[in-house]
């Protein structure tokens, strides 16, 4: 597996049999039959226990969105490859210990992680286990298990059922007979808020969860978008860390990881990723199902399609309002009917009415105005990249066909022939 500079030395925890097991920097287990247990590329920076986060201004400057190292490093390619993500709903971040999967008094997560570890060599899919918030009597009760990208939920798993559940669902890929799988609909957002594991996520995570809930309520997305705090997923240096499971492009669901997310980015993620199925590249760490190298290549191709020249630009770019971008690009507000081509070329069409501008143009994650996608336009998927047309309407020059050129030359030649013949006739007379 590709190495990453953001990983630190492994640490160990004690499993139920009290024998030490070597693991990487993780709370979110990565159960790969061909490797050690691991999580996303990232460093374990335990700056001290922080139960429930820290809301002071000094904490924000030191550990939050104002910390000096915030958005100072590249993000893409920092997600270790895996195929399936299992979330166990269990209590809340305020009571999670630093290693909730190994806590003596939390039997359910401890036994589930131990069972996954014991059967990892038999599972066909590389599986990650993460804890998310659970409250009895709510949509996510304690013991509920969410599985992505399968988009299914099993209700109220107990420590008595762990072995059977792992055997039937995760090893054999069949249904767990005592429970009936429920189909998950809509989008699911998980925010690392594991304060007892790292102060940065303890400070940033709760703020982002609150912001997501506010924006979901304000946009009337209740029942369509669910947000939950989750345990350590790796890469606390990239806090705020967000994972979004949402149908994208052709309806395929994949877990997309975002880092360096601030409260101001929440509306963008909801509008662009959840609402339109488009990646916000300046915050994108990678996605499940792709190797670290494939993540980098995927983003590079996607940026080339959007006219970008490198990844570093997307990391440092900040979100800009539409009017500022229009002014900087010298585009008049009554003629925003231009779309970006490849490289530095542009193509323009007739100005659109103001109401059509809103429908046909959006502001993407890189702060560029892009045209509404047509049927001929194809997007980047998790399996590869294809080309797309830059404009929905060709200009008169682009629509000039080769046959038109030949016809024009023929007319010119005929005119010249007539002129020569007339001149010869006059000379003979």
């Amino acid at each position: 597996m590709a190495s990453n500079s953001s990983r630190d030395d492994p640490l160990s925890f004690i499993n139920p049999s009290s024998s030490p097991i070597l693991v990487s920097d993780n709370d979110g287990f990565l159960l790969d039959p061909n490797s050690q247990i691991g999580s996303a590329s990232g460093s374990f920076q335990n700056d001290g226990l922080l139960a429930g986060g820290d809301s002071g201004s000094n904490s924000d400057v030191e550990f939050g969105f104002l910390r000096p190292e915030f958005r100072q490093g590249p993000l893409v390619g920092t997600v270790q490859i895996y195929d399936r993500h299992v979330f166990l709903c269990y209590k809340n971040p305020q009571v999670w210990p630093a290693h909730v999967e190994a806590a003596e008094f939390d039997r359910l997560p401890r036994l589930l992680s131990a069972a996954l570890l014991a059967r990892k060599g038999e599972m066909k899919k590389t599986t990650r286990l993460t804890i998310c918030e659970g409250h009895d009597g709510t949509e996510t009760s304690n013991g509920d298990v969410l599985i992505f990208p399968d988009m299914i939920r099993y209700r109220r798993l107990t420590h008595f059922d762990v072995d059977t559940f792992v055997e039937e669902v995760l090893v054999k890929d069949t249904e767990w007979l005592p429970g009936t799988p429920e189909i998950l609909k809509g989008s699911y957002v998980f925010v690392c808020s594991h304060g007892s594991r790292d102060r940065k996520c303890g400070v940033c995570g709760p703020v982002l969860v609150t912001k997501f809930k506010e924006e979901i309520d304000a946009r009337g997305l209740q029942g369509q978008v669910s947000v939950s705090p989750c345990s350590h997923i790796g890469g606390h240096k990239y806090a705020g860390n967000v994972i979004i499971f949402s149908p994208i492009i052709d309806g395929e669901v994949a877990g997309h990881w975002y880092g360096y997310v601030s409260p101001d980015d929440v509306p963008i993620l909801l509008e662009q990723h959840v609402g339109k199925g488009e990646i916000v590249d300046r915050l994108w760490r990678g996605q499940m199902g792709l190797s670290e190298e494939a993540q980098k290549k995927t983003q590079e191709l996607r940026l080339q399609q959007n006219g970008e020249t490198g990844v570093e630009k997307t990391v440092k770019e900040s979100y800009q309002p539409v009017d500022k971008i229009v002014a900087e690009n010298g585009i008049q507000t009554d003629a925003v009917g231009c779309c970006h081509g490849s490289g530095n070329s542009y193509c323009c069409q007739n100005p659109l009415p103001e109401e059509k501008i809103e429908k046909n143009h959006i502001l993407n994650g890189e702060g560029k105005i892009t045209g509404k996608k047509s049927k001929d336009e194809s997007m980047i998927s998790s399996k590869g990249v294809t080309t797309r047309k830059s404009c929905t309407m060709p200009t008169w020059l682009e629509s000039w066909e080769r046959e038109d050129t030949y016809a024009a030359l023929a007319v010119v030649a005929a005119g010249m022939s007539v002129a020569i013949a007339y001149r010869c006739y006059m000379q003979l007379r």
Side-chain angles (χ1 to χ4, degrees), residues 151-330:
M151 295 295 285
I152 59 175
R153 180 208 314 270
Y154 282 98
R155 292 282 188 182
R156 303 307 297 269
L157 179 72
T158 69
H159 61 279
F160 298 108
D161 306 314
V162 165
D163 290 334
T164 304
F165 177 81
V166 172
E167 168 76 18
E168 299 296 330
V169 178
L170 303 179
V171 174
K172 295 183 178 179
D173 291 325
T174 59
E175 291 187 6
W176 180 44
L177 295 180
T180 302
E182 301 176 9
I183 302 299
L184 298 176
K185 297 181 179 180
S187 302
Y188 285 77
V189 179
F190 296 94
V191 182
C192 184
S193 307
H194 201 166
S196 64
R197 188 69 181 268
D198 181 85
R199 283 185 179 267
K200 286 179 284 297
C201 284
V203 172
C204 299
V207 177
L208 292 177
V209 171
T210 299
K211 182 64 174 178
F212 267 109
K213 291 181 177 180
E214 291 175 351
E215 290 293 329
I216 289 170
D217 291 341
R219 299 165 188 269
L221 298 176
Q222 301 91 335
Q224 301 177 46
V225 182
S226 174
V227 60
S228 174
C230 71
S231 64
H232 174 61
I233 59 175
H236 276 148
K237 63 186 295 183
Y238 307 120
N241 283 302
V242 175
I243 306 177
I244 301 179
F245 295 92
S246 180
I248 196 168
I249 307 174
D250 56 357
E252 181 181 357
V253 176
H256 288 267
W257 294 50
Y258 289 101
Y260 291 142
V261 179
S262 71
D264 291 338
D265 299 315
V266 170
I268 304 172
L269 290 174
L270 289 175
E271 292 172 7
Q272 186 166 327
H273 186 108
V274 176
K276 299 175 182 177
E278 299 174 350
I279 305 302
V280 182
D281 277 299
R282 63 186 177 85
L283 304 173
W284 194 67
R285 290 183 58 184
Q287 72 177 75
M288 66 186 306
L290 292 182
S291 67
E292 297 167 14
E293 189 62 31
Q295 294 163 25
K296 296 177 182 179
K297 291 181 179 179
T298 298
Q299 187 185 70
E300 183 179 353
L301 291 172
R302 187 165 57 235
L303 293 176
Q304 288 177 359
Q305 287 190 332
N306 292 332
E308 297 291 346
T309 57
V311 177
E312 294 295 332
K313 183 177 180 181
T314 65
V315 175
K316 297 180 180 179
E317 276 185 335
S318 60
Y319 179 78
Q320 302 178 47
V322 177
D323 54 353
K324 182 177 180 180
I325 296 197
V326 168
E328 289 181 352
N329 287 277

Side-chain angles (χ1 to χ4, degrees), residues 87-203:
F87 285 85
L88 171 65
C89 302
Y90 188 79
K91 298 183 179 180
N92 59 72
Q94 285 72 29
V95 300
W96 290 340
H99 296 278
V100 62
E101 81 289 340
E104 180 181 356
F105 299 104
D106 295 306
R107 287 188 297 177
L108 182 56
R110 174 167 55 86
L111 293 177
L112 179 58
S113 61
L116 289 172
L117 176 64
R119 305 299 299 275
K120 69 184 182 70
E122 303 172 57
M123 288 187 287
K124 300 176 183 177
K125 300 177 181 178
T126 307
T127 300
R128 186 186 301 278
L129 172 64
T130 301
I131 310 301
C132 65
E133 189 175 43
H135 293 289
D136 289 333
T138 65
E139 184 65 17
T140 53
S141 298
N142 284 307
D144 286 1
V145 180
L146 313 178
I147 304 177
F148 301 94
D150 306 70
M151 295 295 285
I152 59 175
R153 180 208 314 270
Y154 282 98
R155 292 282 188 182
R156 303 307 297 269
L157 179 72
T158 69
H159 61 279
F160 298 108
D161 306 314
V162 165
D163 290 334
T164 304
F165 177 81
V166 172
E167 168 76 18
E168 299 296 330
V169 178
L170 303 179
V171 174
K172 295 183 178 179
D173 291 325
T174 59
E175 291 187 6
W176 180 44
L177 295 180
T180 302
E182 301 176 9
I183 302 299
L184 298 176
K185 297 181 179 180
S187 302
Y188 285 77
V189 179
F190 296 94
V191 182
C192 184
S193 307
H194 201 166
S196 64
R197 188 69 181 268
D198 181 85
R199 283 185 179 267
K200 286 179 284 297
C201 284
V203 172

Side-chain angles (χ1 to χ4, degrees), residues 291-425:
S291 67
E292 297 167 14
E293 189 62 31
Q295 294 163 25
K296 296 177 182 179
K297 291 181 179 179
T298 298
Q299 187 185 70
E300 183 179 353
L301 291 172
R302 187 165 57 235
L303 293 176
Q304 288 177 359
Q305 287 190 332
N306 292 332
E308 297 291 346
T309 57
V311 177
E312 294 295 332
K313 183 177 180 181
T314 65
V315 175
K316 297 180 180 179
E317 276 185 335
S318 60
Y319 179 78
Q320 302 178 47
V322 177
D323 54 353
K324 182 177 180 180
I325 296 197
V326 168
E328 289 181 352
N329 287 277
I331 303 174
Q332 300 299 322
T333 55
D334 59 347
V336 211
C338 291
C339 56
H340 291 277
S342 59
N344 296 322
S345 62
Y346 295 85
C347 62
C348 296
Q349 58 196 49
N350 294 331
L352 296 175
E354 188 171 350
E355 62 271 11
K356 289 187 177 181
I357 292 174
E358 295 180 359
K359 294 181 180 180
N360 290 340
H361 292 82
I362 60 173
L363 190 68
N364 68 10
E366 291 77 42
K368 290 198 172 186
I369 298 176
T370 59
K372 183 178 179 182
K373 298 174 184 60
S374 65
K375 294 181 179 179
D376 295 327
E377 182 178 13
S378 58
M379 298 294 294
I380 296 178
S381 67
S382 60
K383 298 181 179 179
V385 182
T386 55
T387 58
R388 65 179 183 180
K389 293 185 177 181
S390 298
C391 299
T392 55
M393 292 182 62
T395 63
W396 71 270
L397 183 59
E398 292 171 332
S399 61
W400 186 273
E401 301 291 344
R402 182 179 299 177
E403 289 78 5
D404 297 327
T405 303
Y406 291 156
L409 291 175
V411 171
V412 172
M416 293 178 63
S417 299
V418 172
I420 293 172
Y422 179 75
R423 184 175 180 179
C424 292
Y425 171 76

